[in-house]
Amino acid sequence: MQGSVCLDIGTYDGMTAFSLAARGAARVDATCQFDLKRFRIARALGGWPQVAYYPKTDLDLIHAQFPAASYDLLVMSAMLHHLLSPLEGLIEARRLLKPGAWLLVEVVVRDGHGAEVQLNTALPDPVYGHPTIWIPSPAAFDAMLRFAGLEPHSQTRLIGTRRARETNYDRITVLARAVNADTITGRTPGLQELHRKVKQIGRHPLAPDMPTDAVHAELRCTTPPGQSVLNPWFEQPSDPLQPAWTDPDPRRATFVRVADNADFARLVGRHPDGAFTPEDLRHLPSRYPGQAMPEGMRWGLKQLGQLHVLDHVRDLGLVQVLEAGPGFNLYFPNHLPTWCRYTGLDDGGFYDEQLIADADAHRGGGRRVRGLLGQAGHGLAPESFDACVSVSVLEHVPDTAMAAVCRDMFALLRPGGWALHSIDLPPAQMDGRGQRWLQALQAAGFVVEADAINTDPARTAAPFTEPLSIVTTFYGGYRPSIWGDTGIKGTSSPLTLLVAMRKPQVQR
């Protein structure tokens, strides 16, 4: 960074521009569509005369006033999604960079496997922030960079911020380099033809060839290539001006409570996009031999527990996920976000070995480890998981083993990790066993918000009393039921206790 010339487009309050100056940049030009007094005050107090401020400067002014091939590093942070034409912004960035110089760009993305760009205003759940106009998928943004003549070097996905701020989208930061078009990797035949035949689109030269006598950027990159994830809950990136992050409240968003209809409706509403797909139903006979599910019987307590876990994993950006007692349940290895690393911990003997082998053949990823929580021999390393989860499992643990299970779970989790479980119990047992599980988890060191504890179904306004859509009895077939079926007595229907407890960041 020492001696480099940088441009910060969309600097806003100047954190990036001042950080570049603090790292040794010789000059930082900072543009903004606003004129913020706090930027000028911070610049004066920080003593950064090498930072030049260009307020009320849009893309048209940048194109007219800033010369081509002038910068070693160009930063676009949290602004590309505000442009009418984000591709035009990337082409302009390529024009401003020296040969071999770097673009550091942060972009809002939506999940998607194809190269698609969506109009935010047409989405049923538009992303927060105005004016947010275009939202690309990661693949589409990667293709846009190559279109503009920028070779992606590395990509970092910011996860774990949905619970605090951004509830329905993620951000990625890409480091890309200005190179000749014919050296860009991964170009489609169509893009190769366009780069060969089209030299300018409107006022914009498209990936112009770099003169052999051009002054190349001197800034060297030490970032390893490839993709990575960054989770501020678990990782602490350093910046010369950013105060160190501390976890002010380890109990935030924790609870232990009997599920009710509101939990069910909320979780289903948050995961409408393939949380349970038609494929899940069609594959039930092969994945669950001897069982069947009538048409329409899609939801039950097990599915509620799975959505409870998935909700936390997505919102908190949990990467290393340990499922205790998966049996032949394939939901998590097949539905977790792509950034997750899945491990299933289970012992042999509870299910037929061939049944488990058939399930593993359909598993989408991850690994299965033999063993049980609370017992020696599973070989899992301490503090190696961000979440320990289970769905309709812990009710099978005898009271005498609760303490050992909770201690083992606590030891396997990293500081700040989460215990996420659903425990199915009849109403008559819910309060007593629920309290015992709560006490065992707290004794192991987990924390929970004091006013978010309810293990007594009598204190729940509208308990979720639907029995399992399939009550699995391997010798007696199955018993179907419909949500709210009055023919099934409440005394025989289990409730679910949803658990979200946290291991503190700092052990006392």
Side-chain angles (χ1 to χ4, degrees):
M1 184 61 67
Q2 197 70 33
S4 60
V5 179
C6 306
L7 174 61
D8 179 17
I9 296 180
T11 189
Y12 200 61
D13 53 14
M15 176 62 76
T16 298
F18 302 144
S19 294
L20 293 173
R23 291 179 182 273
R27 192 180 88 238
V28 182
D29 295 336
T31 75
C32 186
Q33 63 175 319
F34 308 107
D35 188 348
L36 300 179
K37 182 183 293 186
R38 64 177 178 267
F39 180 100
R40 302 176 187 276
I41 294 173
R43 181 177 58 173
L45 292 175
W48 290 300
Q50 69 270 51
V51 178
Y53 190 32
Y54 295 85
K56 299 184 178 180
T57 302
D58 60 14
L59 205 59
D60 289 335
L61 287 175
I62 290 173
H63 182 80
Q65 297 180 8
F66 290 68
S70 299
Y71 295 97
D72 301 294
L73 173 67
L74 192 154
V75 179
M76 288 181 168
S77 177
M79 55 80 60
L80 207 66
H81 51 285
H82 298 314
L83 298 181
L84 284 172
S85 175
L87 184 56
E88 184 179 18
L90 293 176
I91 293 173
E92 179 64 17
R94 169 65 170 74
R95 182 189 73 86
L96 292 165
L97 290 171
K98 296 177 183 178
W102 299 94
L103 170 68
L104 187 64
V105 54
E106 179 197 46
V107 63
V108 173
V109 295
R110 292 184 66 87
D111 291 332
H113 299 293
E116 56 187 33
V117 181
Q118 297 174 297
L119 182 63
N120 184 53
T121 55
L123 296 172
D125 56 338
V127 302
Y128 172 82
H130 302 287
T132 299
I133 303 171
W134 297 104
I135 309 296
S137 66
F141 186 66
D142 181 86
M144 291 164 68
L145 288 167
R146 299 177 200 275
F147 184 102
L150 296 157
E151 172 77 29
H153 171 78
S154 61
Q155 172 183 305
T156 301
R157 184 163 187 153
L158 179 65
I159 60 175
T161 61
R162 291 189 180 192
R163 181 149 319 257
R165 175 186 171 200
E166 300 160 349
T167 59
N168 62 344
Y169 65 91
D170 288 331
R171 292 176 181 262
I172 60 172
T173 299
V174 178
L175 183 64
R177 197 174 192 187
V179 297
N180 283 326
D182 59 4
T183 67
I184 295 175
T185 61
R187 289 190 302 168
T188 64
L191 183 55
Q192 293 178 36
E193 182 180 13
L194 184 141
H195 281 160
R196 185 171 63 252
K197 294 182 177 179
V198 180
K199 299 305 178 185
Q200 186 146 335
I201 297 178
R203 68 184 184 184
H204 296 291
L206 185 59
D209 291 335
M210 297 172 180
T212 56
D213 59 347
V215 177
H216 281 63
E218 295 295 330
L219 190 60
R220 297 287 177 259
C221 174
T222 59
T223 303
Q227 298 187 358
S228 61
V229 296
L230 175 63
N231 188 329
W233 291 90
F234 297 97
E235 302 168 82
Q236 304 301 313
S238 61
D239 182 271
L241 303 181
Q242 184 68 46
W245 182 87
T246 57
D247 187 356
D249 184 5
R251 292 172 173 78
R252 189 173 184 275
T254 59
F255 57 84
V256 175
R257 66 170 183 264
V258 181
D260 60 22
N261 295 331
D263 289 300
F264 184 80
R266 177 181 61 83
L267 290 169
V268 172
R270 286 176 64 90
H271 301 283
D273 51 348
F276 288 90
T277 66
E279 286 73 21
D280 291 323
L281 299 181
R282 287 198 294 268
H283 291 160
L284 276 171
S286 62
R287 295 180 179 176
Y288 302 86
Q291 302 301 309
M293 181 180 281
E295 191 66 29
M297 300 282 184
R298 297 188 61 179
W299 300 100
L301 295 184
K302 196 172 187 72
Q303 287 84 355
L304 176 68
Q306 288 166 343
L307 288 182
H308 161 68
V309 170
L310 185 63
D311 190 48
H312 281 77
V313 169
R314 286 182 174 177
D315 284 0
L316 296 166
L318 306 177
V319 178
Q320 297 287 349
V321 177
L322 173 67
E323 182 180 13
F328 52 77
N329 174 40
L330 296 168
Y331 184 79
F332 291 120
N334 290 338
H335 290 83
L336 287 173
T338 55
W339 67 70
C340 289
R341 301 293 177 266
Y342 171 84
T343 300
L345 177 66
D346 212 340
D347 195 16
F350 191 79
Y351 295 109
D352 179 80
E353 289 295 325
Q354 186 57 51
L355 183 66
I356 298 299
D358 291 342
D360 281 344
H362 292 92
R363 188 153 44 90
R367 60 173 177 151
R368 184 188 292 271
V369 175
R370 287 297 184 96
L372 294 174
L373 283 177
Q375 297 185 10
H378 54 59
L380 297 173
E383 297 193 352
S384 56
F385 294 96
D386 301 320
C388 181
V389 310
S390 72
V391 175
S392 305
V393 169
L394 294 187
E395 62 268 19
H396 301 298
V397 175
D399 288 5
T400 55
M402 282 183 181
V405 166
C406 293
R407 287 194 299 268
D408 194 15
M409 190 190 313
F410 190 88
L412 290 170
L413 287 172
R414 295 170 178 168
W418 288 78
L420 302 169
H421 306 280
S422 68
I423 307 174
D424 299 340
L425 292 168
Q429 297 182 22
M430 178 59 76
D431 195 20
R433 293 211 78 207
Q435 280 290 343
R436 288 195 288 277
W437 271 113
L438 173 64
Q439 292 164 3
L441 287 161
Q442 289 176 317
F446 289 100
V447 294
V448 64
E449 190 68 48
D451 59 0
I453 298 172
N454 173 22
T455 63
D456 180 2
R459 299 200 308 271
T460 302
F464 183 83
T465 57
E466 181 199 8
L468 296 177
S469 292
I470 302 176
V471 177
T472 305
T473 53
F474 287 98
Y475 300 99
Y478 70 94
R479 182 178 64 193
S481 64
I482 299 174
W483 188 15
D485 185 351
T486 57
I488 306 247
K489 300 298 183 183
T491 54
S492 62
S493 304
L495 301 173
T496 284
L497 188 72
L498 298 180
V499 176
M501 299 183 73
R502 192 162 173 227
K503 179 176 180 175
Q505 285 276 3
V506 179
Q507 305 309 308
R508 303 186 191 284

